[in-house]
Amino acid sequence: MIEFRYFAATIMLLMSIAIITLNGLVVKRMFREREGFHKICVNKAIANVFIAIAFLVWAAPCAYLNFLYLPHAFNVFFGQIVGWAPYLMSGPFTQICLAVNRAVAISYPYWFNKQHRVPWTKVILGGLWILAILMSLPAMIDGCSYIFFVESVAWSPTDTPCSRTLSEYVTNLVLLMAIISFSINISSIIKIVRSAIGLTAVMDQNVSESRKRKRRKMFIQCVIQDCTHTTDCMLNTYVYTFYDAQWFQFLCGAVSALSVIMLDGFLMSILHQRSSTPSQTREPPSKSHTNGEFRKRASSRVSATIMTTTTM
């Protein structure tokens, strides 16, 4: 019978390749986009690629070989990629940014679409990357690390007080930020609904139905992205302790983490494709130059701004 570690290594290998492909497509399609929303998605995709590379070049080969083929310091280094800096950017940090981006686009659409001298999105994302890296430094201390265990084919903190404390800290941080981003998204959904009711009179039925569909997609996206990273963190921190079986440890560790970032790449790629067409036809062609038609097109531009800047 084939050892479980070969099966686990193959799963990690295939999922890592799929993640790099999906998130690579997101970076390629959105890299030149001007909207801050897309810049946040690009940063999220880059963080996902880093995590997948750690599985591809470290976890999978170690599982195939049944030992760590490089010194312990490399295990600690790759653990900081999977469990700290890129993980924080892939999950809670970018989720907060996406939620705030949507909220500003809805509440202040004219300010949102102005050309600003300061590239606020880039500045904030750069600051968050620095913060995530600084927060990962304590885990480089001996006895405080988050590493890959070949025996269980899973990532987990070392069995020391320092490592357990840091892991619990990250879990609480992810939970808190998930609650904040989810609350912001719910508030944004309410504002979109109210705006739709107020603009229905100047929109034709097709546009109104389109906006309803996009609101539903946005709500589903918000719930999935907010909840999946939180669930993964809970599985890695608490649930994996319920059962010592190797397959269970593998599911709670590697499969859970890889599934989340694979779903991220899939959602960002698919939803960006669907929203690119409407954004290119934001203003319908004019049929007349009457004052009434001008007012209708002006109202449509406001509604389209809300619609296109709050969906992916």
Side-chain angles (χ1 to χ4, degrees), residues 1 15 69 84 107 113 122 171 194 296 309:
M1 182 177 178
M15 292 185 74
Y69 64 92
W84 283 89
S107 301
N113 288 285
K122 293 181 179 179
T171 301
R194 290 178 177 176
K296 180 181 293 187
T309 57

Side-chain angles (χ1 to χ4, degrees), residues 126-196:
L128 288 176
W129 271 108
I130 294 173
L131 178 60
I133 293 172
L134 291 176
M135 290 176 62
S136 70
L137 293 180
M140 299 294 291
I141 301 173
D142 188 30
C144 299
S145 305
Y146 184 84
I147 61 177
F148 182 74
F149 289 92
V150 179
E151 304 82 28
S152 57
V153 198
W155 300 87
S156 63
T158 55
D159 190 17
T160 62
C162 177
S163 185
R164 288 194 296 267
T165 300
L166 286 175
S167 180
E168 185 176 356
Y169 168 73
V170 173
T171 301
N172 293 334
L173 177 65
V174 172
L175 287 173
L176 175 62
M177 298 186 77
I179 293 172
I180 294 173
S181 61
F182 184 77
S183 301
I184 295 173
N185 285 327
I186 292 297
S187 175
S188 299
I189 294 293
I190 295 173
K191 290 180 181 179
I192 290 175
V193 172
R194 290 178 177 176
S195 299

Side-chain angles (χ1 to χ4, degrees), residues 111-307:
W111 182 89
F112 183 84
N113 288 285
K114 286 176 60 178
Q115 293 292 332
H116 300 282
R117 293 184 178 179
V118 179
W120 292 110
T121 303
K122 293 181 179 179
V123 171
I124 292 173
L125 289 172
L128 288 176
W129 271 108
I130 294 173
L131 178 60
I133 293 172
L134 291 176
M135 290 176 62
S136 70
L137 293 180
M140 299 294 291
I141 301 173
D142 188 30
C144 299
S145 305
Y146 184 84
I147 61 177
F148 182 74
F149 289 92
V150 179
E151 304 82 28
S152 57
V153 198
W155 300 87
S156 63
T158 55
D159 190 17
T160 62
C162 177
S163 185
R164 288 194 296 267
T165 300
L166 286 175
S167 180
E168 185 176 356
Y169 168 73
V170 173
T171 301
N172 293 334
L173 177 65
V174 172
L175 287 173
L176 175 62
M177 298 186 77
I179 293 172
I180 294 173
S181 61
F182 184 77
S183 301
I184 295 173
N185 285 327
I186 292 297
S187 175
S188 299
I189 294 293
I190 295 173
K191 290 180 181 179
I192 290 175
V193 172
R194 290 178 177 176
S195 299
I197 294 174
L199 292 171
T200 301
V202 294
M203 294 169 59
D204 61 36
Q205 187 62 27
N206 291 331
V207 174
S208 180
E209 290 299 323
S210 175
R211 291 194 61 200
K212 290 178 183 178
R213 289 194 298 269
K214 288 182 178 295
R215 286 198 304 270
R216 288 194 293 267
K217 292 175 185 176
M218 189 190 73
F219 181 75
I220 293 171
Q221 175 195 338
C222 294
V223 172
I224 293 175
Q225 289 184 325
D226 283 337
C227 293
T228 51
H229 283 276
T230 305
T231 303
D232 173 58
C233 190
M234 296 295 291
L235 288 172
N236 275 278
T237 306
Y238 299 115
V239 178
Y240 86 98
T241 61
F242 295 168
Y243 193 41
D244 292 333
Q246 191 179 42
W247 65 268
F248 186 76
Q249 300 282 313
F250 176 66
L251 288 177
C252 292
V255 174
S256 174
L258 291 172
S259 297
V260 168
I261 58 178
M262 181 185 293
L263 183 60
D264 265 351
F266 178 77
L267 285 175
M268 289 188 291
S269 178
I270 295 299
L271 294 179
H272 177 254
Q273 283 183 328
R274 293 178 178 177
S275 65
S276 59
T277 301
S279 64
Q280 294 171 356
T281 59
R282 182 174 296 180
E283 182 178 348
S286 175
K287 295 181 180 180
S288 68
H289 297 282
T290 63
N291 291 334
E293 188 65 24
F294 176 80
R295 286 194 296 270
K296 180 181 293 187
R297 289 190 288 112
S299 299
S300 298
R301 286 198 298 271
V302 174
S303 62
T305 297
I306 296 174
M307 178 176 65

